[in-house]
Amino acid sequence: MPAATRRRHAVVGTGSRAGMFVRSMLTTHSEVAEPVAWCDTNDVRMDLYDELLAEHGRAPLPRYTPDDFSRMLDEQDPDVVVVTSPDSTHARYVVEALDRGVDVVCEKPMTIDVDGLRAITEAARRSTAELVVTFNYRYSPRNSEVRRLVSEGAIGDVTSVTFEWLLDTVHGADYFRRWHREKASSGGLLVHKSTHHLDLVNWWIDDVPEVVSALGRLAFYGEDSAAARGLGPRPALGRDGAADDPFALDMAADETLRPLYLEAEEADGYVRDRDVFGPGITIEDNLAVLVGYRGGPVLSYSLNAHSPWEGYRVGINGTRGRLELEVVERTHVHPGSAGKMLGPDGKKAPVVDPSVTHVDAAGGARAFGSRLVLQQHWDEARELPIPEGVGAHGGGDAMLLDDVFLGVGDDPLGRQAHYVDGVRSVIVGIAANESIRTGETVRLSTLGIELDAPAELSAPTRA
């Protein structure tokens, strides 16, 4: 494909998540996509991405601050804006880009509140540009198999879903160190993290959420919980923790965290390793949600962010039987593994997001891996094979990137998510936060957000 056909991508937010898109534009998708500008508050992080470009023989890119976003669109004339900035900032970039006729690739969640959701929805409906939300978990082979089986009627009409997600004290704790710990920035775990899970359910059962009720509290992390358990005084930063503190975080020893965050602190003041038992945490770590769907099914969802193991369990009940998926992504956590995980050789290997790499390590009575079981009425349970995925998020990231940069191929499962899918997932988290705050059940129709897809909405296809 000639270089002239490459689409020009401006990247907003140069933290860790941007790396997946940038590396793809420099390697696997370099013939169809190229980065043309950075937009961030932090020059040190933009320097790091310029160094990545230099490794591939590319010149440094023009850089802009968030206040210069409009000027960036004027001067660089991108075809696409990739939004990987903190969640609370997404709406302003998405709306302006769409209003300028620029396509947008937005990391989940689309936004964190009703105002942002309304602004994005209205902009998407009036714009000729495309808005794609990156739900990489849809592409994981095990999750795709659930979608296929349900859509083919293996369990009949869906009546109810139970979904339990467990974040361990490596991955879960990390949300309580970063900007995610402040609900005003992230919307809490029900918006930032659960939007992945809620989208899976919406997609699996092909239905639209209507009513939400939730409970949640900060029961493990935070200064009050620490005091109640008698943990005593703690350093304000993870880097100052004792060597035997399982929640200490030594960014200086981490080849990814050190340059990207520790050495970038002076540029904008962002601190990546605040103590998980310190003050200022406004999000919950234990959450339970009930969701009623338009077609009748009911979802019972729970999230725990301090589990000793990481993974999830799903049960989908139908008029012909039941489908069960259990996934063990990490069997246990070793003391001193904060910000790290055990590699196949048993040594500690640093990662920015522990969810993107999984390890087959001894776990005692708990076995690593995935198990998919179908049991139809009046029949024995059968374990079904799951296609093997290679790479991050169970192989999902590679397929996601193909859809992002090449357009949708022949996919009967409909894995690429449009903005309506993003709306339907994040609105449940927003409503659940409101239910926790007020103690009341929330009908999504009262929030004034359109949940039906426009008739003209279609996926951009591959040439």
Side-chain angles (χ1 to χ4, degrees):
M1 184 176 294
T5 64
R6 289 180 185 157
R7 302 195 78 204
R8 297 164 51 81
H9 292 68
V11 179
V12 181
T14 54
S16 61
R17 191 58 180 168
M20 178 182 77
F21 298 100
V22 175
R23 289 182 179 87
S24 180
M25 285 189 273
L26 297 175
T27 56
T28 55
H29 296 90
S30 61
E31 293 187 346
V32 294
E34 64 174 333
V36 297
W38 311 127
C39 182
D40 203 304
T41 60
N42 194 297
D43 279 316
V44 174
R45 284 198 289 273
M46 288 188 280
D47 286 342
L48 288 171
Y49 277 96
D50 275 342
E51 291 174 10
L52 178 61
L53 262 62
E55 294 174 7
H56 293 269
R58 304 287 188 91
L61 298 185
R63 55 182 63 181
Y64 299 83
T65 68
D67 291 339
D68 294 327
F69 181 70
S70 298
R71 183 164 64 86
M72 182 191 73
L73 295 179
D74 290 335
E75 294 178 354
Q76 301 304 321
D77 191 27
D79 301 300
V80 184
V81 170
V82 179
V83 179
T84 55
S85 56
D87 303 345
S88 61
T89 68
H90 288 183
R92 62 159 293 206
Y93 301 122
V94 172
V95 169
E96 183 169 354
L98 290 176
D99 283 344
R100 300 277 288 269
V102 179
D103 290 346
V104 178
V105 175
C106 185
E107 258 298 312
K108 62 82 194 165
M110 288 171 48
T111 186
I112 67 167
D113 55 29
V114 170
D115 289 342
L117 203 53
R118 182 177 297 112
I120 290 174
T121 301
E122 292 174 356
R125 286 177 177 267
R126 65 178 175 254
S127 179
T128 59
E130 296 280 349
L131 169 58
V132 173
V133 185
T134 54
F135 286 115
N136 46 21
Y137 257 91
R138 288 184 175 204
Y139 295 80
S140 175
R142 58 198 178 221
N143 296 330
S144 295
E145 277 298 286
V146 172
R147 163 76 170 186
R148 183 185 67 80
L149 289 163
V150 173
S151 66
E152 291 178 355
I155 58 171
D157 297 329
V158 174
T159 59
S160 63
V161 182
T162 59
F163 197 151
E164 178 187 29
W165 198 286
L166 301 167
L167 296 169
D168 64 23
T169 50
V170 172
H171 190 188
D174 215 35
Y175 293 110
F176 297 83
R177 297 187 178 97
R178 303 177 282 173
W179 55 264
H180 308 74
R181 70 191 338 233
E182 299 164 357
K183 191 170 282 192
S185 296
S186 68
L189 291 176
L190 283 175
V191 169
H192 176 79
K193 185 63 180 175
S194 299
T195 188
H196 257 323
H197 316 152
L198 298 166
D199 173 71
L200 280 177
V201 177
N202 296 346
W203 177 61
W204 281 334
I205 70 175
D206 192 22
D207 210 337
V208 181
E210 280 196 329
V211 61
V212 176
S213 182
L215 294 171
R217 68 188 183 110
L218 183 63
F220 184 80
Y221 302 106
E223 60 179 345
D224 292 341
S225 298
R229 295 199 303 278
L231 295 187
R234 294 179 56 84
L237 301 177
R239 72 195 71 169
D240 297 325
D244 61 350
D245 181 355
F247 294 97
L249 179 61
D250 184 5
M251 292 196 296
D254 191 299
E255 293 301 320
T256 300
L257 296 179
R258 187 185 67 252
L260 198 58
Y261 295 106
L262 182 61
E263 295 174 355
E265 284 180 357
E266 291 187 4
D268 61 5
Y270 173 57
V271 177
R272 170 68 172 73
D273 66 334
R274 286 180 285 181
D275 180 41
V276 299
F277 298 109
I281 296 174
T282 56
I283 66 174
E284 302 86 3
D285 54 26
N286 280 256
L287 295 148
V289 183
L290 284 175
V291 182
Y293 281 83
R294 182 181 295 175
V298 175
L299 164 66
S300 175
Y301 169 82
S302 67
L303 174 68
N304 179 285
H306 57 89
S307 170
W309 67 278
E310 177 142 336
Y312 58 103
R313 294 182 175 127
V314 179
I316 306 179
N317 299 301
T319 54
R320 292 185 59 197
R322 176 179 170 89
L323 185 64
E324 298 174 352
L325 174 64
E326 179 172 276
V327 179
V328 177
E329 296 183 329
R330 187 156 47 235
T331 61
H332 62 297
V333 174
H334 284 236
S337 59
K340 303 175 185 291
M341 66 175 299
L342 295 179
D345 57 359
K347 297 179 180 179
K348 293 174 184 175
V351 292
V352 173
D353 180 356
S355 73
V356 303
T357 310
H358 308 310
V359 173
D360 191 358
R366 194 176 309 283
F368 171 85
S370 305
R371 188 166 184 257
L372 182 62
V373 175
L374 171 65
Q375 185 166 12
Q376 296 173 321
H377 288 152
W378 307 289
D379 199 357
E380 295 180 346
R382 292 180 288 137
E383 184 170 351
L384 305 179
I386 300 174
E388 292 293 329
V390 178
H393 286 107
D397 283 0
M399 289 184 284
L400 167 72
L401 290 166
D402 279 345
D403 277 3
V404 166
F405 292 117
L406 299 175
V408 178
D410 182 16
D411 184 5
L413 298 181
R415 281 173 285 205
Q416 187 180 68
H418 284 288
Y419 78 87
V420 175
D421 301 303
V423 170
R424 290 174 180 173
S425 65
V426 77
I427 199 172
V428 175
I430 291 170
N433 279 335
E434 180 66 8
S435 180
I436 291 170
R437 186 183 70 82
T438 64
E440 302 291 333
T441 295
V442 178
R443 291 200 167 272
L444 302 187
S445 59
T446 66
L447 301 181
I449 306 296
E450 179 57 61
L451 298 181
D452 288 317
E456 67 274 13
L457 186 64
S458 63
T461 56
R462 296 180 193 174

